[in-house]
Amino acid sequence: MSSQSDAAGNMDRLRKIFVAGNRACAFTTLPMTAVFIILGKSVIEVWVGKQYVAQGYPVLLILIVPYT
């Protein structure tokens, strides 16, 4: 759709596709980020063990927040 709209010079349709794609990405990324922030310590504990929670959770926050 994007290529077709670009080739046809239909910039309005191209903008609508871009906005819809960004919204879809936001609606999937934001809930996943919230889950990792809220349940991140539990996920790390189950995944690699309790001894890595203190070191791993700050790293998770540092990486997940800019990613979002």
Side-chain angles (χ1 to χ4, degrees):
M1 273 193 315
S2 298
S3 296
Q4 183 181 10
S5 296
D6 186 41
N10 191 350
M11 291 298 148
D12 187 46
R13 175 129 173 93
L14 199 56
R15 263 188 223 97
K16 288 180 183 178
I17 293 169
F18 178 73
V19 170
N22 280 339
R23 285 183 183 161
C25 288
F27 283 135
T28 57
T29 304
L30 290 175
M32 290 181 353
T33 300
V35 167
F36 276 124
I37 289 173
I38 295 168
L39 301 175
K41 290 180 181 179
S42 300
V43 170
I44 293 171
E45 185 176 342
V46 169
W47 185 23
V48 291
K50 191 171 185 168
Q51 67 270 22
Y52 294 105
V53 172
Q55 297 167 338
Y57 186 68
V59 173
L60 174 70
L61 292 179
I62 290 169
L63 293 175
I64 196 93
V65 171
Y67 172 75
T68 304

